[in-house]
Amino acid sequence: MHRAPKPLLARNPLDTHHSGRRPLHLRRFRFLAALFLLGLGWGASLRADTVSGTVKDPAGLTVAGARIEITGEGLPQPLILISDEAGKFVARDLKPGKYSLHVGKEGFQPLDTSANLQGTADLSLTLAIAQQQTTVTVNDKTSAYANSDSFYRQLRDIKLGTTYRCDNFTMPLDVGTFVFKSGTITFLAPVNGMETGAVFLGQGHFTLKPVMPLDTQEMIRRSGSEIAEEDFTEIVFRFSSTLAAQFSKIKNNPAEAAGSADGVFEKWRSKMRRRREVPEGFTDAILQSDTMDNVDADVLAAVYNPKHPGFINAYMTGAPHKDLRYFIRGRTGAIPQLDSPEEVALINCNGEGMDDGIWYSQHLYSELKAGTANSQEDRRLFATHRYVIETVIGKNAHFASQAKITFEPRIPGDRVLKFGLLSTLRVARVIDENGRDLHFIQEDKKHDGTFYAILDEAPAMGKEHTIIVEYGGDKVLYDAGGGSYYVGARESWYPNLNGFGEKALYDLTFKVPKSNVVISVGKLEGQSEESGFAVSHWVTPVPVAVAGFNYGKYQKVDITDNITHYSISGYYLTDLPDNLSQYARGNGPLASMAPRAMTNFALEQARAQMELCTFYFGQAPYNNVAITEQPNFNFGQSWPSLVYLPISAYIDSTQRWQLFGTIDSNFTGFVQEVTPHEVAHQWFGHSVSWASYHDQWLSEGFADFAAGLFLEEATGAKWQKDYMEYWNRQKRRILEKNTYGIASNDAGPLWLGLRLVSPKTRQDYQGVTYSKGAYVLLMLKSMMYDDQHTGGNPNQNFIDMMHDFISSHQNTPASTESFKAIAEKHMPKRIDLQSNGKLDWFFHEWVYGTQVPRYQLKYEVKPGDGKSVKVHLEITQSEVDAGFAMFVPVYADFGEGMRRVGQVPIVGNSTRSVVFNMDRQPKKVALNVYKNILER
């Protein structure tokens, strides 16, 4: 995703506020992660003297696209804001005093309220539903097969069972250890003869000591100590039968149940089933996503299959933490929502508390010890082969869909399939390939309403199986006005079995009002009319990781690339969304907006980037790509063969100046970057997907690198200024300190990915994953550059590496380790500093480390032989450890601008002297002129 810099103005009619360059506070973390991973964007942090808030409906769901009009004595004219996808809005730089707010949104009754501003006011605004008519409906009749499976009902309503004394008992579980000093443990009543949980009350102590140095450093950052420790008084355990034996030695001393055990369990159950529409913090956002755990449904999988991968979850209440969770889960990963096969995790769930976060996530100790831990481990229980989806969108944007899902089991015996599906989309029926109704689970959308399907029997291994899901509902689309729509649930508008964790074929049919157009992933195979609806049929010719679409009253422009032969289409809107339409009236700043002309410009940018990426990285797997306008102002996104560009990309620089009242260089940079960044995702993120959250920099960082490459090679002869400003922006995002005095780079290494996020480092995931990830690839390109080339392309080593990377990962997700192996395959011998054919030194510094060097140059020019000169250089590297190595590029200006003359290796905090023989006198010599390497 590419998110734009927010114009720093008191008058901001476009405010779709997100705190930081890319937000971490969206309605759904699953959607949030998709935005992070496949797009680019920007925002800004809240300041004092601010009115902010969230607009919600009566059910507590957030309302996007609401119009907020603020008036007051401190404003010379009304301030108009629009709530973003998370229902958020913000108005900064206001004077203290009383302000009136008028809130409106089609389909809701207007709301009037006020705020007395003394510093900061954060409001929660609830809109009442206006009387509406529904033109397209689905069968919302509660199915007899919904939430009615007999074992599921037993789990859902489970009671306490036998109690035992539990004194002086130690239970090691991987790197964590539970010491039960004194108390009682009460097991839950058996289901199908299996124990599935227990409740401990008393006094105990938990410790977790990481094994790997990187995990130890992260534990210090999180807890202030190398070891996590907790004195607990309550623990609720849930486990599979394969791990129930861990408690067998406790069952020697029966006791009376503690009177509060039932209350403790009910309190835990209530917490696990409660879903917040707007997360309180980072861990809340992860754990309450569209694949939020329904613990009872997860346990049901183990009840039906005794050989289901083992798991044990411990939910601790104690001191100093109120909600510390230790998870061990085989195969699916300890935190399935994190898209990682790491089986062990420690999570401190503390809402907006400063220590909220994932403190530990790692593979099993046995895997670490044996050296078999691998990010590319298959974590799927079922592999999806095909989706065939028919969707009807009504005039009121209501959804009615049927999805035919073909899959193959990956482990024997499992019968429960867990899907990512927006909780407001309600499942009406699930049937198997023989037309038989199947039980399914989908609790209320305000609770643990994740969708699970239950097969009648374990599917045969090695064979394809099919289920059909009928579902419908709202909140996938939000009418932005002017024929445009916000597309909200871009990944969970259909029952998605494994998210970005696999690729599948898609066959998609959309039936929509004739006035509107659908642009989908895949290739358009046909169009027709049926019962007053426009019908379009789209098919993906190759498997893709996710399906998505854009929707609205679009006009189409086509161009052909005669070099790469890609088919490139542009879709634009002739009218502005409601939040901008007032600025097109009369002589308003957008009155002269020319969407078709700007679409042509965007298409030319896309074509240039497609050609550039094809040259540097290889052929993309898709023959067509659609560049589409969206009403979102400050972020772009990319899906396979489908690019969403923000409407700001269709506004020229003069109009932006008139609209904002100033020129914002950061926002100008965003507009320059967004199209090449999103187009590059056709290679990075879609052609090549990532193996785990550790490896997402291979998508976002590489797309950022490709945007810089575009500014260097596709913008004409005067490329230097924009190119250098681009990399300076990246450097600032990495090294500038936030209000807590923490730079993104200081939060932790690139390897940690999303785990970098904490209340003090909310934007550091973006600064590291996007910007530092881009710099890692740029530095490899610089080191691989052949300074002595006499013919051909001096970047050929790098080009060969990238072609190999793309072609080697068409069917296998890329991991940091697999990319490193390909880089080592193509690296020139001169950068093999350890003489072992490895780039361990480089990845240790830049992917697994946080050091950034500082450089200083002194030089002297002396006469050489004939007309040549000798340039004596002294290069000093500082602020690194003794083993830190880097190749520093050297440039000279001979009167025609700076050109590269070589690179110098240097190790540690040291000064390196070197002599360059030059055939003529340079006007100037400098280091790292074009920002090839990251330096302070």
Side-chain angles (χ1 to χ4, degrees), residues 859-864 866-871 892-896 899 917-925:
Y859 70 92
E860 183 180 8
V861 180
K862 296 182 178 180
K867 294 182 178 181
S868 67
V869 296
K870 293 182 180 292
V871 182
D893 182 359
F894 298 99
E896 299 174 348
R899 70 179 180 87
N917 293 311
M918 299 184 183
D919 60 4
R920 49 185 163 151
Q921 175 95 12
K923 295 175 63 177
K924 183 180 180 181
V925 178

Side-chain angles (χ1 to χ4, degrees), residues 160 163 184 186 199 201 255-266:
L160 301 184
T163 300
T184 61
T186 302
V199 179
L201 297 178
E256 292 292 327
S260 57
D262 188 69
V264 168
F265 183 66
E266 287 303 319

